[in-house]
Amino acid sequence: MKCFRHYGINGDTMELTVSASENINGTLILPIFEGSDGVPEKCQAGMSNSMKNQINRVLSNGDFKAKKKSTMTLYGGEDGKAILVGLGKSDDCTIHDYRNAGASVTATIKKSHGAEMTVRFDGAGISHMAAFAEGMMLRDYSYDEYKKKDDEEDETEVSVRINCSEKEEEELVGQVNVLKGVCKGVHLSRDLGNCPPNDMYPEVFADMARDWAKDFDNVDVTIINYDEAIKAGMGGLVAVGKGSSRKPCMVIFEMNKDVKGRCPVLVGKGITFDTGGISLKPGANMDEMKYDMGGSATVFGTMEALAQTGYEGKVVGITCMAENMPAANATRPGDVIKGLSGKTIEILNTDAEGRLVLSDGLWKAAEFDPEYIIDFATLTGACVVALGHEATGLWSNDDDFRTRIHEAGNAVGELAWPMPLLPAFEKEMTDSKIADTRNLGAGRWGGANTAAAFLKQFVPNRDYEKDGEQITWAHMDIAGTFWGAKTNLMVKNGATGIHVRTIYHLIANS
Ligand code: BES
Ligand code: ZN
Ligand code: ZN
């Protein structure tokens, strides 16, 4: 299995520690506010005069203005090197600016900066220092599994020390350790997404999940294979995956399953490649449809983040894995299928497949007595039209819950934008002449909203009771955010691992 980087730390190249020692080891990394005209007092300990003078000079003569995300390297000969990084103006500098500054530094680091670094802050709060470390770690990732390696060239380990006061040390170590675990989840999600589709298909994802679970006593992974899915009546999953030689499956992650009470249930779209099926997609950029399993990567990555940080609550993940291929035995436009819910679906376009696999995943979710259900899916091109690559589309049947997710996203710098779940869209998706629902809207407008309205038809009532209350549910369309976001500083290219951090924050901190 070539595509799977083992769970190495932080993208494998950076080892990050926290220390209250006053030594400057290796290259000094100095976050600076706009308007500073010299090295802040607090950062001067152990600094050579020539290094101090050099930094003072570039700051006072305005060569380095400390604009947000900007960096400058100073090569001080025998006295060592320094990377200055801008935080912008001190009065509007947020935790996100610290995270961005950390990521900018990692993006700047070259071999010539050496293998050791020390970060010095000028009176930043503990969470701000931790966010800087987080930015450094998040950005420390490249997917090079398929590139020839120049053994020593590429294997340089960088060790970064975050300097703080003795008083801050314990708390900062604690925060950074949690963030290390969460970053592992983000990087795992990226690995899964970046893996080419010839090596990443439903069975491989399932094997990885099973292998992964062996490392944790508190996680169980159950795989519902193709035959079992047929027997169970997972008509949506089967309809999408049956045209591929790589058969579909459902992978269920259960963490701390013996804990009593309701729990979050996360459901992911896992189309390992989306050709569109018989409603074949045009050729341009079709390669990007390897990312169509981004929702399942979010679920797996979040499980990793929770497991790595020792989360003790119960959480369930359900990933609906299939490859959408055209074939003699593929589903046709016009077919009517019935899934787990018992509702029939008229398939009018086989390229609207994500909603079909999710219809079974959502229905299955109620077996786990969810506190709430959130699904993640690279669901519609229309969502990218609406929000570009800047925000995930966010729908919910509960306004307060939608706000909670929106706020969790804001807290970690991952935007999820509220979108409308309107009765008119539901009507459109239940207006088939021959079935209970249809998988395509009546026209092309509002395509992301009609998709969400379709999904809502498959969110069960509590305990599947006919007239019961529908389970609290949110849908996150990550079609624009799982890859392709040029403004996302946390990642150089490829899969972003979006919303592992949002959902970790939602589950573990609220
Ligand atoms: N995986 C695609 C959505 C997608 C397209 C994500 C482009 C990211 C970039 C999804 O399965 C799909 O093809 N959706 C169709 C739905 C349509 C047929 C109703 C779409 O968006 O065009
Ligand atoms: Zn599709
Ligand atoms: Zn798709």
Side-chain angles (χ1 to χ4, degrees), residues 60-284:
S60 61
N61 69 14
D63 282 342
F64 184 70
K65 297 198 169 52
K67 297 272 182 219
K68 287 178 183 179
K69 305 172 204 171
S70 63
T71 60
M72 178 186 263
T73 299
L74 302 175
Y75 292 93
E78 281 175 14
D79 287 321
K81 300 170 190 122
I83 301 175
L84 309 183
V85 55
L87 291 167
K89 298 199 175 74
S90 65
D91 50 2
D92 76 350
C93 181
T94 66
I95 198 157
H96 306 301
D97 297 316
Y98 275 87
R99 192 184 301 108
N100 282 334
S104 303
V105 169
T106 301
T108 303
I109 292 175
K110 292 190 203 62
K111 225 179 155 208
S112 60
H113 289 110
E116 282 188 285
M117 326 235 153
T118 302
V119 189
R120 278 272 166 87
F121 294 97
D122 177 20
I126 293 176
S127 318
H128 290 70
M129 292 193 266
F132 187 93
E134 182 187 26
M136 286 197 80
M137 294 189 289
L138 283 170
R139 179 65 193 238
D140 178 35
Y141 174 90
S142 64
Y143 189 74
D144 49 15
E145 300 296 315
Y146 291 81
K147 281 189 184 265
K148 180 154 64 69
K149 298 205 177 49
D150 270 348
D151 293 344
E152 280 165 36
E153 276 288 285
D154 294 342
E155 297 296 317
T156 350
E157 281 260 330
V158 178
S159 89
V160 178
R161 243 161 29 112
I162 306 279
N163 217 180
C164 64
S165 70
E166 265 172 38
K167 222 169 58 210
E168 296 162 328
E169 194 175 3
E170 196 182 330
E171 172 67 19
L172 185 56
V173 167
Q175 288 196 20
V176 167
N177 280 342
V178 168
L179 292 169
K180 276 184 187 175
V182 178
C183 282
K184 283 191 178 190
V186 176
H187 288 173
L188 170 59
S189 165
R190 291 181 189 170
D191 277 351
L192 295 164
N194 287 328
C195 185
N198 53 330
D199 280 344
M200 170 56 64
Y201 46 90
E203 197 187 338
V204 170
F205 186 98
D207 286 347
M208 284 178 178
R210 199 178 8 219
D211 282 356
W212 168 82
K214 286 184 192 147
D215 287 349
F216 303 97
D217 295 338
N218 61 337
V219 194
D220 293 289
V221 164
T222 311
I223 295 154
I224 300 175
N225 68 24
Y226 183 49
D227 292 336
E228 291 162 344
I230 294 173
K231 264 196 216 119
M234 295 183 172
L237 187 74
V238 168
V240 174
K242 69 178 183 175
S244 170
S245 58
R246 313 294 200 184
K247 292 297 184 234
C249 61
M250 187 178 276
V251 182
I252 301 178
F253 303 74
E254 289 176 89
M255 177 174 289
N256 303 316
K257 70 195 272 191
D258 297 329
V259 172
K260 297 264 168 308
R262 290 183 176 161
C263 68
V265 180
L266 313 176
V267 180
K269 167 178 173 180
I271 303 299
T272 57
F273 195 73
D274 182 12
T275 63
I278 298 296
S279 314
L280 193 65
K281 283 181 181 299

Side-chain angles (χ1 to χ4, degrees), residues 436-452:
D436 301 328
T437 62
R438 47 187 285 159
N439 83 330
L440 192 66
R444 55 191 284 259
W445 306 118
N449 297 315
T450 48

Side-chain angles (χ1 to χ4, degrees), residues 269 271 273-277 279 281 289 292 324 349-355 378-380:
K269 167 178 173 180
I271 303 299
F273 195 73
D274 182 12
T275 63
S279 314
K281 283 181 181 299
M289 285 298 118
D292 211 21
N324 189 20
N349 189 317
T350 63
D351 197 13
E353 84 298 337
R355 59 196 78 182
T378 49
L379 201 65
T380 63

